[in-house]
Amino acid sequence: MTSPRSAPEPHGPASGSTESHAHGHSHSHGPAAPVSKHLRKVIAAVLIPFATAVLVGLVAFWPGGAPDHERTGVGFDRQTQDGKVVKVVDVDCAAVNAAQVPPTGDTSTPSGREAVNEQSGECKKATVEVTTGDEKGRTFVEVIQPDAPRQLREGQGVVVAYAPDAPRDLQYSVTDVDRSFPMALLAGIFALAVIAVGRMRGLMALIALAVSFAVLTLFILPAILQGSNPLVVAVIGASAIMLIALYTCHGLTARTSVAVIGTLISLLLIGLLGSLFIGWASLSGNTDDNTGLIHGLYPEIDMSGLLLAGIIIGSLGVLDDVTVTQTSAVWELHQADPAMGVRGLYRAGIRIGRDHIASVVNTLVLAYAGAALPLLLLFSIAQSSVGAVANSELVAMEIVRTLVGSIGLVASVPVTTALAALVVSADRTGLGAEAEAPAPVRTGRGRRRKA
């Protein structure tokens, strides 16, 4: 209420000039006013060396593709081709020897009962044609047991595994169904929804997503397979993804730069905590068939370092959301009340951040719990105690992953809020002049003078 009276009258024309200058530098992605040239130089002095170091790291560790290796035929490490089910007929399971009853005849066990059911049930015999590769057009027979989780139907596309060293009749087998069309359709619906609602911002977000995926598949994964330190590669790759995604989606502005710095500080904290507790808890990172296969194929890979790299990359996406939101909130608060100081901006911003923390941490924990739900069900079936479940490496790894990432998310709120409050409050030449611009226009004397 007092700001119009406090504005000196001789500044009226200058204020109009300042307002015009601010509009001349506005960005299409948001209403935030530009900061002063001095602050832009300070931010650039921090981020340009960082971006240069990331670029140097990309060049130094660029793998040039994943290394070749001889296929083991185990798990995902198999030669595969596309196929199509051309015929399905019903057959008696006993006639095709789909299952064998235990020699003891014991049906008290689940496997024994299942074998008996399969012997007395009706199976399906599918004729599958190979549709790609050197042996395109070759057919083979696949027997589907009645209790099999995946049933085949005529005309269905499938993925077939090829084992060249096996007997000819056993070289091909169905390993999965072809889901390319529904997955592509879902991706198209997602892209259309993002563009329809987000418009140009949504399009830029999709471009950033594509670039992020390219960094992951062309740099991070091949570099780790080439034997580079997983942690170093993850830090370089995550930093590149952060810079590309944030500036592509939100523009090359000081507001985005503050979010980048806040994200970087939080990632460093996550890396330090993750390294400390992975070593302290003696987590090997080799806990299932997939990690065991990776370790068998590439024994030089540090599996615990790979675990830490996954924590850093997994936390990055949520961190971007938190830091950008907090920075934008502080900017808008300052625009609404330019007289608010650093302490007031921080207090108002942190109140917004507390709501964000509550929802994001809950989302992160539930996401990890949902992914590990089958494992948790197994522990529940075994009637293991909570302490025994938490102490097992499979669950302890997820606990460390969840809590370390959550600590980084929580820390990003006060860090980013404080940085944003300091930047906008220190910018007296950029935002302070604009704050006084409307003052002469709102006073009665200003209107009479203009008339």
Side-chain angles (χ1 to χ4, degrees):
M1 297 297 293
T2 59
S3 57
R5 297 182 181 271
S6 62
E9 291 183 9
H11 288 179
S15 299
S17 174
T18 304
E19 185 176 5
S20 173
H21 176 77
H23 285 298
H25 285 75
S26 63
H27 300 274
S28 60
H29 68 280
V35 298
S36 65
K37 184 180 293 186
H38 173 69
L39 270 180
R40 288 199 296 268
K41 289 181 178 179
V42 172
I43 295 172
V46 175
L47 289 180
I48 289 179
F50 169 65
T52 304
V54 171
L55 182 60
V56 170
L58 287 172
V59 174
F61 287 89
W62 191 262
D68 294 329
H69 71 280
E70 186 176 351
R71 297 277 187 174
T72 63
V74 177
F76 290 104
D77 192 40
R78 290 179 286 186
Q79 299 183 39
T80 58
Q81 300 292 345
D82 293 338
K84 183 180 179 181
V85 180
V86 295
K87 185 179 180 181
V88 177
V89 296
D90 295 330
V91 294
D92 184 40
C93 290
V96 294
N97 295 321
Q100 293 182 356
V101 179
T104 60
D106 182 13
T107 59
S108 61
T109 63
S111 59
R113 289 192 298 269
E114 182 179 349
V116 170
N117 292 335
E118 289 170 354
Q119 277 286 342
S120 59
E122 189 174 72
C123 295
K124 294 182 183 296
K125 186 168 68 173
T127 302
V128 182
E129 179 184 355
V130 180
T131 57
T132 59
D134 296 335
E135 296 189 302
K136 180 180 179 180
R138 177 178 169 180
T139 60
F140 65 96
V141 173
E142 183 87 4
V143 176
I144 305 101
Q145 298 176 358
D147 294 333
R150 181 175 59 241
Q151 299 291 321
L152 300 180
R153 64 180 184 276
E154 191 170 323
Q156 185 177 26
V158 293
V159 178
V160 298
Y162 175 58
D165 298 331
R168 180 169 177 80
D169 292 341
L170 302 176
Q171 286 182 332
Y172 285 97
S173 61
V174 175
T175 184
D176 210 340
V177 298
D178 184 7
R179 303 181 181 90
S180 56
F181 178 74
M183 300 300 288
L185 178 61
L186 181 60
I189 295 173
F190 165 73
L192 289 175
V194 170
I195 294 175
V197 177
R199 299 186 179 180
M200 184 55 66
R201 186 76 66 85
L203 177 61
M204 298 307 292
L206 291 176
I207 293 174
L209 177 62
V211 174
S212 300
F213 188 75
V215 172
L216 179 64
T217 56
L218 299 179
F219 173 71
I220 295 178
L221 299 181
I224 292 175
L225 291 177
Q226 291 281 9
S228 299
N229 187 292
L231 177 58
V232 175
V233 170
V235 169
I236 295 172
S239 299
I241 290 173
M242 174 184 66
L243 291 171
I244 294 170
L246 287 179
Y247 284 120
T248 299
C249 294
H250 305 286
L252 192 64
T253 64
R255 182 168 67 178
T256 307
S257 299
V258 171
V260 167
I261 296 174
T263 304
L264 176 61
I265 294 173
S266 301
L267 281 178
L268 290 175
L269 176 62
I270 289 173
L272 290 174
L273 286 175
S275 179
L276 173 63
F277 282 95
I278 287 175
W280 199 357
S282 300
L283 298 177
S284 65
N286 188 1
T287 56
D288 56 24
D289 293 340
N290 293 327
T291 54
L293 178 59
I294 293 171
H295 184 66
L297 293 173
Y298 302 96
E300 68 277 5
I301 293 179
D302 179 11
M303 299 304 294
S304 60
L306 187 63
L307 172 60
L308 180 56
I311 293 175
I312 292 175
I313 295 173
S315 302
L316 179 61
V318 188
L319 271 177
D320 288 351
D321 173 49
V322 173
T323 54
V324 168
T325 300
Q326 287 304 116
T327 305
S328 298
V330 173
W331 240 261
E332 295 301 324
L333 287 168
H334 191 267
Q335 289 285 86
D337 186 2
M340 190 181 296
V342 176
R343 186 171 297 178
L345 284 171
Y346 178 80
R347 288 176 177 173
I350 206 69
R351 285 195 294 270
I352 298 173
R354 289 190 186 107
D355 291 336
H356 207 178
I357 286 173
S359 59
V360 168
V361 169
N362 192 48
T363 300
L364 190 64
V365 172
L366 289 179
Y368 283 129
L373 197 57
L375 176 64
L376 297 178
L377 282 174
L378 287 177
F379 281 110
S380 178
I381 293 171
Q383 296 182 349
S384 301
S385 65
V386 175
V389 171
N391 190 63
S392 67
E393 184 170 2
L394 275 172
V395 177
M397 187 173 67
E398 297 302 326
I399 291 175
V400 170
R401 191 197 308 270
T402 303
L403 297 184
V404 167
S406 298
I407 291 171
L409 289 175
V410 172
S412 69
V413 172
V415 168
T416 308
T417 304
L419 284 173
L422 287 171
V423 168
V424 295
S425 297
D427 188 35
R428 300 301 180 189
T429 58
L431 295 177
E434 185 186 359
E436 294 181 356
V441 179
R442 290 199 298 264
T443 59
R445 287 179 295 173
R447 287 193 293 269
R448 287 195 296 270
R449 187 186 306 109
K450 186 175 181 180

